Amino acid sequence: MKVSLFATCLVDMFQTNVGKATVEVLERVGCEVDFPEGQICCGQPAYNSGYVKESKEAMKQMIKTFERSEYVVTPSGSCATMFKEYPHVFKDDPVWKDKANKLAAKTYELTQFIVQVLKVEDVGAKLTGRATYHTSCHMTRLLGVKDEPMKLLEKVEGLEFTPLPNAHNCCGFGGTFSVKMGNISEQMVDEKVHHIEEVQADYLIGADCGCLMNIGGRSKRLEKPVKVMHIAEVLNSR
Protein backbone atom coordinates (compact mmCIF):
# COMPACT_ATOMS: atom_id res chain seq x y z
CA MET A 1 0.00 0.00 0.00
CA LYS A 2 1.40 3.40 -1.00
CA VAL A 3 1.10 6.23 1.49
CA SER A 4 2.10 9.89 1.23
CA LEU A 5 3.26 11.53 4.45
CA PHE A 6 1.76 14.91 5.29
CA ALA A 7 4.32 15.99 7.86
CA THR A 8 2.72 19.25 9.15
CA CYS A 9 4.53 22.48 10.04
CA LEU A 10 5.13 21.65 13.71
CA VAL A 11 6.72 18.31 12.87
CA ASP A 12 8.84 19.88 10.14
CA MET A 13 10.02 22.80 12.29
CA PHE A 14 10.08 21.51 15.86
CA GLN A 15 9.49 17.76 16.23
CA THR A 16 11.13 16.02 13.29
CA ASN A 17 11.45 12.80 15.27
CA VAL A 18 7.65 12.47 15.12
CA GLY A 19 7.83 12.47 11.33
CA LYS A 20 10.62 9.89 11.37
CA ALA A 21 8.67 7.69 13.78
CA THR A 22 5.55 7.95 11.63
CA VAL A 23 7.40 6.75 8.55
CA GLU A 24 9.07 3.87 10.40
CA VAL A 25 5.79 2.68 11.96
CA LEU A 26 4.01 2.78 8.60
CA GLU A 27 6.84 0.89 6.91
CA ARG A 28 6.80 -1.71 9.66
CA VAL A 29 3.13 -2.46 9.02
CA GLY A 30 3.72 -2.87 5.30
CA CYS A 31 3.33 0.56 3.72
CA GLU A 32 5.50 2.19 1.07
CA VAL A 33 5.87 5.81 2.17
CA ASP A 34 6.76 8.83 0.05
CA PHE A 35 7.12 12.49 0.93
CA PRO A 36 5.80 14.93 -1.70
CA GLU A 37 8.17 17.88 -1.44
CA GLY A 38 5.64 20.46 -2.59
CA GLN A 39 3.79 20.37 0.73
CA ILE A 40 3.57 23.52 2.80
CA CYS A 41 1.24 24.70 5.59
CA CYS A 42 -2.32 23.39 5.22
CA GLY A 43 -3.64 26.91 5.75
CA GLN A 44 -5.24 26.30 9.11
CA PRO A 45 -3.68 29.20 11.11
CA ALA A 46 -4.74 31.79 8.54
CA TYR A 47 -8.14 30.15 7.97
CA ASN A 48 -8.98 29.99 11.68
CA SER A 49 -7.92 33.62 12.07
CA GLY A 50 -10.47 34.69 9.45
CA TYR A 51 -8.13 35.07 6.46
CA VAL A 52 -10.11 32.69 4.26
CA LYS A 53 -9.17 34.22 0.92
CA GLU A 54 -5.46 34.27 1.75
CA SER A 55 -5.48 30.71 3.09
CA LYS A 56 -6.93 29.32 -0.14
CA GLU A 57 -3.60 29.66 -1.95
CA ALA A 58 -1.95 27.34 0.58
CA MET A 59 -4.87 24.92 0.31
CA LYS A 60 -4.62 24.81 -3.49
CA GLN A 61 -0.90 24.06 -3.23
CA MET A 62 -1.63 21.16 -0.89
CA ILE A 63 -4.37 19.80 -3.16
CA LYS A 64 -1.95 19.84 -6.11
CA THR A 65 0.85 18.31 -4.05
CA PHE A 66 -1.17 15.26 -3.00
CA GLU A 67 -3.27 14.92 -6.15
CA ARG A 68 -1.58 11.68 -7.22
CA SER A 69 -1.36 10.13 -3.75
CA GLU A 70 -3.25 6.93 -2.99
CA TYR A 71 -3.55 7.73 0.73
CA VAL A 72 -2.42 10.77 2.72
CA VAL A 73 -1.47 10.10 6.35
CA THR A 74 -0.52 12.70 8.95
CA PRO A 75 0.55 12.48 12.62
CA SER A 76 -1.94 15.23 13.48
CA GLY A 77 -5.67 15.06 14.04
CA SER A 78 -5.83 18.84 13.75
CA CYS A 79 -4.20 19.03 10.33
CA ALA A 80 -6.15 16.02 9.07
CA THR A 81 -9.30 17.87 10.14
CA MET A 82 -8.21 20.87 8.10
CA PHE A 83 -8.00 18.74 4.96
CA LYS A 84 -11.53 17.58 5.73
CA GLU A 85 -12.57 21.24 5.77
CA TYR A 86 -11.36 21.85 2.21
CA PRO A 87 -14.61 20.61 0.58
CA HIS A 88 -16.53 23.25 2.54
CA VAL A 89 -14.08 25.97 1.57
CA PHE A 90 -14.27 25.12 -2.15
CA LYS A 91 -17.93 23.97 -2.31
CA ASP A 92 -18.83 26.75 -4.75
CA ASP A 93 -15.63 26.57 -6.81
CA PRO A 94 -16.15 24.59 -10.06
CA VAL A 95 -12.40 24.10 -10.55
CA TRP A 96 -11.34 23.01 -7.06
CA LYS A 97 -14.47 21.43 -5.55
CA ASP A 98 -13.94 17.86 -6.80
CA LYS A 99 -10.20 17.98 -6.13
CA ALA A 100 -10.83 19.12 -2.55
CA ASN A 101 -13.33 16.31 -2.04
CA LYS A 102 -10.87 13.70 -3.30
CA LEU A 103 -8.09 14.91 -1.00
CA ALA A 104 -10.40 14.93 2.02
CA ALA A 105 -11.63 11.42 1.28
CA LYS A 106 -8.14 9.87 1.18
CA THR A 107 -6.66 11.71 4.18
CA TYR A 108 -6.25 10.00 7.55
CA GLU A 109 -4.73 10.73 10.92
CA LEU A 110 -2.01 8.15 11.72
CA THR A 111 -3.84 6.00 14.30
CA GLN A 112 -7.05 6.24 12.29
CA PHE A 113 -5.25 4.89 9.23
CA ILE A 114 -3.53 2.04 11.06
CA VAL A 115 -6.70 0.82 12.78
CA GLN A 116 -9.43 1.63 10.25
CA VAL A 117 -7.65 1.07 6.93
CA LEU A 118 -4.85 -1.39 7.71
CA LYS A 119 -6.93 -3.21 10.37
CA VAL A 120 -3.87 -3.40 12.65
CA GLU A 121 -3.96 -2.89 16.43
CA ASP A 122 -0.58 -4.33 17.47
CA VAL A 123 2.45 -2.76 15.79
CA GLY A 124 4.96 -4.58 17.98
CA ALA A 125 5.83 -1.62 20.21
CA LYS A 126 7.46 -1.95 23.65
CA LEU A 127 7.66 0.78 26.30
CA THR A 128 7.88 0.26 30.05
CA GLY A 129 6.18 2.67 32.45
CA ARG A 130 2.92 4.31 33.45
CA ALA A 131 1.27 6.44 30.80
CA THR A 132 -1.75 8.66 30.41
CA TYR A 133 -3.27 10.08 27.24
CA HIS A 134 -4.40 13.59 26.29
CA THR A 135 -7.33 13.66 23.85
CA SER A 136 -6.84 16.66 21.59
CA CYS A 137 -9.95 18.65 20.71
CA HIS A 138 -9.81 18.68 16.90
CA MET A 139 -8.98 14.99 16.66
CA THR A 140 -11.79 13.80 18.92
CA ARG A 141 -14.52 16.40 18.46
CA LEU A 142 -14.12 17.31 14.79
CA LEU A 143 -12.33 14.37 13.18
CA GLY A 144 -14.14 11.87 15.38
CA VAL A 145 -11.08 9.73 16.15
CA LYS A 146 -11.46 8.56 19.75
CA ASP A 147 -10.94 4.81 20.17
CA GLU A 148 -8.12 4.20 17.69
CA PRO A 149 -5.26 5.57 19.85
CA MET A 150 -6.45 3.54 22.82
CA LYS A 151 -6.62 0.32 20.80
CA LEU A 152 -3.00 0.80 19.75
CA LEU A 153 -1.73 1.84 23.18
CA GLU A 154 -3.36 -1.17 24.85
CA LYS A 155 -1.11 -3.41 22.74
CA VAL A 156 2.16 -1.68 23.66
CA GLU A 157 4.14 -4.21 25.68
CA GLY A 158 5.13 -3.00 29.15
CA LEU A 159 2.93 0.10 29.12
CA GLU A 160 0.63 0.59 32.09
CA PHE A 161 -2.19 2.91 31.08
CA THR A 162 -4.01 5.24 33.49
CA PRO A 163 -6.95 7.40 32.35
CA LEU A 164 -6.42 11.16 32.62
CA PRO A 165 -9.02 12.96 34.79
CA ASN A 166 -11.12 15.40 32.74
CA ALA A 167 -9.30 14.18 29.65
CA HIS A 168 -11.93 15.82 27.43
CA ASN A 169 -10.89 19.30 28.58
CA CYS A 170 -8.83 21.45 26.21
CA CYS A 171 -5.17 21.91 27.16
CA GLY A 172 -5.38 25.62 26.35
CA PHE A 173 -3.33 25.60 23.17
CA GLY A 174 -5.95 26.15 20.48
CA GLY A 175 -3.45 27.56 17.99
CA THR A 176 -3.65 31.35 18.14
CA PHE A 177 -5.88 31.12 21.23
CA SER A 178 -2.82 30.53 23.41
CA VAL A 179 -1.33 33.76 22.06
CA LYS A 180 -4.43 35.93 22.11
CA MET A 181 -5.76 34.63 25.43
CA GLY A 182 -2.51 33.84 27.21
CA ASN A 183 -3.80 34.19 30.77
CA ILE A 184 -6.76 31.87 30.19
CA SER A 185 -4.60 29.42 28.27
CA GLU A 186 -2.16 29.26 31.17
CA GLN A 187 -4.90 28.36 33.63
CA MET A 188 -6.15 25.62 31.31
CA VAL A 189 -2.77 24.02 30.80
CA ASP A 190 -1.99 24.27 34.52
CA GLU A 191 -5.12 22.21 35.19
CA LYS A 192 -3.99 19.66 32.61
CA VAL A 193 -0.51 19.42 34.16
CA HIS A 194 -2.07 18.99 37.61
CA HIS A 195 -4.13 16.01 36.43
CA ILE A 196 -1.08 14.41 34.81
CA GLU A 197 0.79 14.74 38.08
CA GLU A 198 -2.24 13.38 39.93
CA VAL A 199 -2.08 10.02 38.14
CA GLN A 200 1.71 9.86 38.62
CA ALA A 201 2.34 9.22 34.94
CA ASP A 202 5.83 8.63 33.58
CA TYR A 203 4.61 9.50 30.09
CA LEU A 204 2.05 11.94 28.75
CA ILE A 205 1.04 10.72 25.31
CA GLY A 206 -0.88 12.65 22.67
CA ALA A 207 -1.48 12.73 18.92
CA ASP A 208 -1.11 16.45 18.14
CA CYS A 209 2.21 18.26 18.38
CA GLY A 210 0.60 21.59 19.26
CA CYS A 211 -1.01 20.18 22.40
CA LEU A 212 2.15 18.33 23.34
CA MET A 213 4.32 21.43 22.92
CA ASN A 214 1.92 23.38 25.11
CA ILE A 215 1.65 20.77 27.86
CA GLY A 216 5.32 19.83 27.66
CA GLY A 217 6.46 23.43 27.79
CA ARG A 218 4.35 24.20 30.85
CA SER A 219 5.41 20.98 32.58
CA LYS A 220 9.05 21.91 32.06
CA ARG A 221 8.52 25.42 33.46
CA LEU A 222 6.81 23.94 36.51
CA GLU A 223 9.65 21.40 36.79
CA LYS A 224 7.41 18.36 36.49
CA PRO A 225 9.23 15.11 35.61
CA VAL A 226 6.74 13.67 33.09
CA LYS A 227 8.07 12.77 29.63
CA VAL A 228 5.89 14.01 26.79
CA MET A 229 5.64 11.71 23.75
CA HIS A 230 3.73 11.75 20.50
CA ILE A 231 1.87 8.49 19.93
CA ALA A 232 3.96 7.87 16.80
CA GLU A 233 7.09 7.81 18.99
CA VAL A 234 5.42 5.39 21.40
CA LEU A 235 4.34 3.08 18.58
CA ASN A 236 7.89 3.20 17.24
CA SER A 237 9.45 2.21 20.56
CA ARG A 238 11.08 -1.23 20.49
Side-chain angles (χ1 to χ4, degrees):
M1 186 174 290
K2 295 183 178 180
V3 173
S4 293
L5 173 67
F6 167 25
T8 80
C9 298
L10 293 184
V11 169
D12 182 49
M13 299 297 294
F14 300 108
Q15 300 185 28
T16 54
N17 191 59
V18 173
K20 179 175 180 287
T22 298
V23 172
E24 292 180 351
V25 169
L26 288 172
E27 289 180 340
R28 195 159 70 244
V29 293
C31 296
E32 179 183 336
V33 185
D34 66 16
F35 180 79
E37 294 184 2
Q39 60 186 282
I40 55 173
C41 176
C42 65
Q44 183 175 181
Y47 180 74
N48 288 350
S49 297
Y51 297 99
V52 178
K53 180 180 178 181
E54 292 82 356
S55 65
K56 284 184 178 180
E57 293 308 309
M59 295 180 197
K60 290 176 182 178
Q61 174 63 26
M62 294 298 264
I63 291 172
K64 290 187 291 185
T65 297
F66 292 103
E67 195 165 14
R68 298 182 181 277
S69 300
E70 184 176 342
Y71 290 98
V72 178
V73 177
T74 178
S76 168
S78 181
C79 294
T81 297
M82 189 61 214
F83 271 17
K84 301 293 185 181
E85 185 69 10
Y86 282 16
H88 170 72
V89 175
F90 293 103
K91 61 182 173 57
D92 297 320
D93 191 315
V95 176
W96 294 94
K97 177 182 177 180
D98 288 344
K99 294 180 180 181
N101 286 334
K102 288 178 181 178
L103 176 59
K106 64 185 178 184
T107 296
Y108 293 86
E109 179 274 332
L110 176 63
T111 66
Q112 179 188 32
F113 181 75
I114 293 174
V115 174
Q116 291 185 12
V117 179
L118 300 181
K119 308 299 181 183
V120 172
E121 294 184 8
D122 188 345
V123 299
K126 299 178 182 180
L127 183 65
T128 302
R130 176 179 294 178
T132 193
Y133 181 81
H134 165 67
T135 55
S136 56
C137 297
H138 279 186
M139 183 162 163
T140 55
R141 300 175 190 179
L142 299 180
L143 192 60
V145 176
K146 301 176 182 179
D147 298 331
E148 290 81 357
M150 295 299 102
K151 290 179 179 179
L152 291 165
L153 290 175
E154 286 172 358
K155 300 293 185 180
V156 176
E157 185 179 330
L159 197 64
E160 177 189 348
F161 184 77
T162 304
L164 185 64
N166 295 327
H168 60 279
N169 284 356
C170 176
C171 72
F173 177 61
T176 57
F177 172 82
S178 61
V179 178
K180 296 177 180 178
M181 305 290 183
N183 292 336
I184 299 174
S185 174
E186 182 180 304
Q187 295 301 310
M188 295 170 73
V189 73
D190 278 352
E191 181 183 53
K192 186 69 65 173
V193 171
H194 168 72
H195 288 313
I196 295 168
E197 186 177 32
E198 187 179 2
V199 299
Q200 299 181 323
D202 300 308
Y203 305 103
L204 180 277
I205 302 170
D208 268 299
C209 288
C211 299
L212 295 178
M213 287 177 66
N214 188 44
I215 299 170
R218 189 58 178 163
S219 297
K220 187 175 182 179
R221 291 187 185 94
L222 295 175
E223 299 182 346
K224 305 300 181 183
V226 66
K227 182 176 181 179
V228 176
M229 296 184 72
H230 190 282
I231 194 168
E233 297 174 299
V234 176
L235 297 178
N236 199 41
S237 300
R238 302 298 294 271

